[in-house]
């Protein structure tokens, strides 16, 4: 790719660098109707004005922030601001259906998630995948809104653009997944109860002035956006880890790969496990002291339910620390945070040499789906078999290279019992175990769950899994200029080709 023009965030879809404002979200997985590719590309031209840019998404968040501030100052309730966001992304099969056959330079995207999901790679049990994700999916349109009504209204507008319900329809629905933030105080928390979406990398010249971790600089734009500085190809870890270089088609500039995962969560079973394996918190309970089950939950995740990192507040939750990112792990020690804790596995910070995690950072945009746990499920300590009561996380993350980002994180960190690698910790830990939240592999266990040094090398066996992947796909989320000039049909004469 030739030296690109400077980044203009108007060109980048809003979910990537900013996140679409949302209480409700729908992921509409579609196929371009056979023989209708050309008409679909015409319809896409009418659809593009609906696509939310980074600038628009940022503006919406700023309006909310200002509105909340003003309402607090005036002692008034915060007014509901109507909002809806729309983004679109295509699978490899979708690119081909549109006649875009260039190699994107990312073999994991080129082969699709189904080929990557099995036991020898991500580790999914494909027999429990929703059969819809084994069908051909060409793309995903995601719509977010601040209410169900606004969401439905935007969905209807999109249906009209693609002539849904009419003989000249150009897309077919493969399946849809609907997410919503959890009610009341659980807003922003996923179904196990933990505050989610907190730690995100700051991107150079986009998230001005935000440096999340001490000793870490904002990540180069190319870790997220194709064709930007830092999009240098696969990095195979090792003492001489160097990016291998990559060639991108011109239309890929300012696009990003979206890894989407449909993850079911077994919430009563997770809670029952915590209750059955409480950590020793002594007998005396001061106000604010956790139960043994709460302490175990926090140490499996690496954060308390409020979001406070156990590394900063190891003995009790402290909501004042909820959004803190300014911590490093002590390489020689897992007393404050287990090596296998979910956040230590997925962002090992100082467990690896300075700068080694930069290329591995992803931007997460998940949302919870499904209803709250029912009283009956709580009593039975088991999730219901009723599909209407299925719950979990619609996990979505962006990166410029799946082999450096999501795929690597799941396969080489979360599923790898030997990661982080042995160091001079006391006591010495050669095998920290798999990630207790998302890890797959044998044995299903970790060490270091207990903060008590004498007990810290004891193995904690998890037995069953609490997060069950039920499907997913890899998509490419193009820039707005690429949508206009490469994906949609040519509009007015003389329009600019990328
Ligand atoms: Fe995770 N959880 O509730 O336990 N995650 N995650 N995740 N996750 C994080 O910082 C969770 C999943 C990452 O920089 C928090 O947002 C659950 C996948 C990364 O410190 C919590 C599921 C992958 C981070 C959870 C799930 C990741 C992170 C702490 C599935 C990638 C940031 C709050 C149902 C392969 C790490 C926060 C950092 C944080 C949970 C999935 C990755 C609470 C329940 C599939 C990179």
């Amino acid at each position: 790719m030739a030296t690109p023009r400077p980044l203009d965030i108007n060109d980048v879809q809003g979910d990537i660098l900013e996140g679409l404002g949302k209480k409700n979200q729908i992921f509409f997985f579609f196929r371009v109707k056979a023989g209708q590719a050309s008409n679909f590309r015409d319809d896409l031209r009418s659809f593009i004005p609906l696509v939310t840019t980074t600038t628009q998404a940022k503006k919406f968040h700023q309006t909310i922030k200002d509105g909340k501030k003003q309402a607090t100052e005036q002692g008034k309730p915060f007014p509901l601001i109507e909002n809806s966001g729309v983004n679109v992304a295509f699978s490899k099969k979708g690119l081909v259906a549109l006649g875009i056959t260039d190699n994107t330079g990312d073999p994991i995207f080129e082969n699709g998630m189904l080929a990557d999901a099995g036991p020898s790679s991500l580790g999914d049990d494909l027999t429990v995948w929703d059969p819809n994700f084994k069908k051909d999916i060409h793309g995903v349109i995601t719509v977010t809104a601040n209410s169900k009504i606004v969401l439905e209204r935007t969905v209807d507008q999109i249906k009209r653009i693609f002539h849904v319900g009419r003989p000249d329809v150009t897309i077919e629905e493969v399946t849809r997944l609907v997410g919503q933030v959890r009610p009341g105080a659980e807003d922003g928390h996923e179904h196990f109860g933990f505050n989610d979406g907190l730690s995100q990398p700051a991107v150079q010249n986009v998230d001005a002035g935000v440096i999340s971790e001490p000793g870490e600089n904002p990540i180069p734009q190319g870790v997220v956006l194709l064709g930007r500085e830092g999009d240098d190809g696969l990095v195979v870890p090792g003492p001489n880890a160097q990016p291998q270089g990559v060639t991108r088609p011109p239309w890929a500039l300012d696009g990003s790969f979206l890894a989407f995962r449909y993850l079911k969560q077994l919430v009563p079973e997770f809670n029952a496990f915590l209750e059955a394996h409480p950590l020793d918190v002594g007998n005396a309970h001061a106000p604010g002291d956790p139960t043994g089950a709460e302490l175990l939950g926090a140490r499996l995740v690496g954060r308390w339910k409020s979001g406070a990192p156990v590394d900063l507040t190891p003995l009790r939750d402290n909501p004042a620390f909820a959004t803190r990112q300014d911590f490093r792990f002590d390489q020689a020690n897992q007393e404050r945070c287990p090596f296998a804790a979910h956040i230590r596995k997925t962002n090992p910070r100082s467990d690896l040499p300075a700068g080694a995690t930069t290329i591995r950072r992803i931007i997460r945009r998940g949302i919870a789906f499904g209803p709250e746990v029912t009283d009956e499920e709580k009593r039975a300590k088991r999730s219901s078999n009723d599909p209407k009561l299925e719950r979990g996380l619609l996990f979505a993350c962006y990166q410029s290279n799946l082999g450096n980002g999501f795929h690597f994180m799941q396969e080489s960190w979360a599923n790898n019992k030997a990661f982080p690698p042995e160091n001079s910790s006391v006591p010495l830990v050669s095998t920290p175990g798999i990630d207790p939240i998302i890890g797959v592999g044998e044995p299903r266990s970790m060490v270091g769950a207990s903060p008590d040094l004498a007990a810290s090398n004891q193995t904690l066996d998890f037995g069953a899994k609490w997060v069950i992947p039920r499907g997913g796909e890899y998509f490419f989320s193009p820039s707005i200029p690429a949508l206009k000039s490469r994906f949609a049909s040519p509009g007015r004469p003389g329009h600019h080709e990328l």
Side-chain angles (χ1 to χ4, degrees):
M1 213 176 254
T3 309
R5 56 186 181 266
L7 177 69
D8 177 351
I9 59 169
N10 284 300
D11 290 348
V12 182
Q13 294 200 53
D15 205 33
I16 303 170
L17 295 177
E18 175 65 16
L20 303 176
K22 62 191 176 199
K23 294 268 183 224
N24 300 80
Q25 181 165 21
I26 188 163
F27 292 87
F28 180 83
F29 300 92
F30 67 89
R31 207 171 13 238
V32 177
K33 211 171 163 210
Q36 293 293 322
S38 166
N39 292 335
F40 171 84
R41 294 181 66 215
D42 286 347
D43 292 346
L44 205 52
R45 186 152 289 283
S46 316
F47 170 81
I48 292 168
L50 289 191
V51 174
T52 311
T53 67
T54 305
T55 312
Q56 289 164 338
K58 275 190 182 291
K59 202 169 155 204
F60 171 71
H61 284 133
Q62 193 57 47
T63 310
I64 295 281
K65 227 168 142 184
D66 295 347
K68 277 192 176 150
K69 190 167 166 244
Q70 205 180 25
T72 314
E73 280 164 9
Q74 295 171 355
K76 289 186 185 154
F78 178 59
L80 202 64
I81 297 173
E82 208 170 272
N83 167 61
S84 184
V86 177
N87 271 192
V88 64
F90 297 88
S91 67
K92 174 67 186 179
K93 286 180 176 144
L95 296 183
V96 172
L98 298 182
I100 304 172
T101 52
D102 312 82
N103 185 340
T104 58
D106 192 313
I108 293 174
F109 169 77
E110 296 284 314
N111 293 326
M113 190 178 281
L114 186 57
D116 190 37
S120 62
S121 193
L122 298 180
D124 294 4
D125 173 0
L126 291 174
T127 62
V128 297
W129 260 42
D130 175 342
N132 285 316
F133 286 96
K134 295 181 177 174
K135 297 179 185 162
D136 285 357
I137 292 174
H138 289 167
V140 59
I141 295 174
T142 183
V143 183
T144 65
N146 65 330
S147 74
K148 268 186 174 167
I149 296 175
V150 178
L151 188 82
E152 279 309 319
R153 203 189 300 151
T154 311
V155 169
D156 284 346
Q157 203 179 351
I158 294 167
K159 280 183 179 164
R160 278 196 296 277
I161 290 174
F162 294 103
H163 312 270
V164 173
R166 297 202 341 228
D168 54 347
V169 59
T170 57
I171 52 175
E172 289 170 343
E173 175 173 340
V174 180
T175 188
R176 63 174 70 191
L177 291 169
V178 178
Q180 69 282 314
V181 298
R182 293 184 54 216
E186 295 300 326
D187 187 339
H189 293 230
E190 53 66 58
H191 275 287
F192 292 149
F194 295 87
N195 204 347
D196 200 8
L198 299 172
S199 171
Q200 305 282 18
V203 178
Q204 261 170 28
N205 300 330
V206 174
D207 301 305
V210 185
I211 297 176
S212 46
E213 296 165 26
E216 290 288 336
N217 294 321
I219 58 168
Q221 293 168 355
V223 174
V224 188
L225 299 177
L226 277 75
R228 291 286 161 193
E229 194 190 327
D231 175 27
D232 298 329
L234 195 69
V235 177
V236 180
N240 304 316
Q242 286 299 327
Q244 295 179 352
V246 66
T247 306
R248 306 292 196 189
W251 52 262
L253 179 67
D254 294 338
S256 188
F257 290 113
L258 161 63
F260 175 85
R261 300 279 280 165
Y262 167 21
L263 301 174
K264 173 178 177 169
Q265 287 175 251
L266 301 180
V267 180
E269 288 85 342
F270 178 75
N271 288 335
F273 179 84
L274 299 184
E275 295 292 339
H277 299 83
L279 289 175
D280 186 5
V281 286
N283 291 326
H285 284 299
D289 279 353
T291 63
E294 284 165 348
L295 179 59
L296 177 61
R299 290 181 64 85
L300 297 188
V301 172
R303 287 183 183 263
W304 297 91
K305 285 191 170 172
S306 73
V310 291
D311 202 73
L312 291 176
T313 171
L315 297 181
R316 62 183 58 78
D317 198 351
N318 181 353
F321 287 39
T323 56
R324 292 269 297 268
Q325 313 295 349
D326 56 334
F327 60 95
R328 309 288 281 164
F329 297 119
D330 178 353
Q331 224 192 19
N333 193 303
Q334 57 174 345
E335 203 177 340
R336 295 175 83 88
C337 181
F339 290 124
H342 177 60
I343 69 157
R344 195 163 182 170
K345 279 279 195 183
T346 54
N347 186 9
R349 300 171 192 242
S350 41
D351 284 331
L352 295 185
T357 56
T358 304
I359 195 73
R360 311 279 172 217
R361 302 303 302 278
I362 56 175
I363 297 191
R364 289 170 301 132
R365 301 287 180 221
I367 189 165
F369 76 91
E372 296 295 295
V373 174
T374 63
D375 289 345
E376 199 180 324
E377 288 176 296
K378 273 185 201 154
R379 264 195 305 275
K381 300 185 178 181
R382 261 183 78 91
S383 302
S384 161
N385 290 328
D386 182 347
K388 286 205 269 321
L389 292 180
E390 186 184 59
R391 60 186 69 79
L393 185 70
L394 303 178
F395 176 88
C397 72
Y398 294 96
Q399 58 259 282
S400 65
N401 189 310
L402 291 160
N404 290 337
F406 167 76
H407 167 94
F408 182 87
M409 196 177 275
Q410 180 72 54
E411 189 187 36
S412 303
W413 284 353
N415 295 357
N416 179 359
K417 63 178 185 241
F419 184 82
E422 185 171 348
N423 54 43
S424 54
S425 60
V426 183
L428 199 65
V429 175
S430 60
T431 312
I434 62 169
D435 180 326
I437 305 297
I438 59 163
V440 183
E442 294 298 333
R444 286 200 61 70
S445 64
M446 64 181 276
V447 296
S450 171
D452 174 1
L453 270 189
S456 67
N457 249 349
Q458 277 172 9
T459 300
L460 178 70
D461 285 308
F462 320 128
K465 290 181 208 149
W466 306 298
V467 171
I468 319 282
R470 299 229 40 233
E473 183 53 287
Y474 295 126
F475 298 98
F476 176 72
S477 179
S479 71
I480 314 263
L483 274 176
K484 286 182 182 159
S485 63
R486 191 69 189 85
F487 286 72
S489 57
R492 54 208 146 75
H495 84 286
H496 181 67
E497 268 292 339
L498 276 179

